[in-house]
Amino acid sequence: QVQLVESGGGLVQPGGSLRLSCAASGSIFSSSFMGWYRQAPGKQRELVAGITSGGATAYADSVKGRFTISRDNAKKTVYLQMNSLKPEDTAVYYCNLRLGITNSWGQGTQVTVAS
């Protein structure tokens, strides 16, 4: 089974920046769809950003212009650059890999935006 290892979460002040990383095991990374999801207290888990194997990206309206998803196939890693962070961005962020019947999740990393 594919394993995803996340890093980069933490506490930042409003207006600050943070970069999340997710490293994947296995040999299917380059062909996969990768996504970053988040779940805040009392809210449904939502897709924040996604990137296809071909590099096409999509973002939730709430993060457009502030977040950027990218992937490095050589490193089998997907990134989420988060700028101009707001308190409402506070959530547990999850990395997801999908290809065929494979649907793998990272353990989640906490992002807290507060003064």
Side-chain angles (χ1 to χ4, degrees):
Q1 187 176 1
V2 173
Q3 291 188 333
L4 305 174
V5 180
E6 299 166 318
S7 61
L11 173 65
V12 296
Q13 293 186 327
S17 297
L18 204 61
R19 189 179 78 158
L20 306 183
S21 300
C22 175
S25 66
S27 61
I28 67 171
F29 177 85
S30 63
S31 299
S32 68
F33 173 87
M34 298 296 300
W36 284 99
Y37 292 73
R38 70 184 181 188
Q39 187 166 24
K43 290 197 170 185
Q44 188 175 355
R45 186 176 297 188
E46 65 171 337
L47 177 64
V48 176
I51 184 166
T52 70
S53 61
T57 59
Y59 300 91
D61 288 341
S62 59
V63 307
K64 284 182 179 178
R66 300 188 298 119
F67 290 11
T68 303
I69 188 171
S70 61
R71 66 194 297 160
D72 185 333
N73 288 340
K75 296 181 179 179
K76 295 191 290 185
T77 301
V78 63
Y79 305 94
L80 185 66
Q81 178 66 47
M82 304 184 293
N83 299 324
S84 302
L85 283 162
K86 305 174 181 180
E88 48 263 48
D89 295 319
T90 296
V92 178
Y93 284 71
Y94 298 90
C95 177
N96 173 253
L97 178 152
R98 187 176 181 182
L99 178 64
I101 64 171
T102 299
N103 188 17
S104 298
W105 294 88
Q107 78 284 354
T109 184
Q110 177 71 46
V111 172
T112 302
V113 185
S115 299

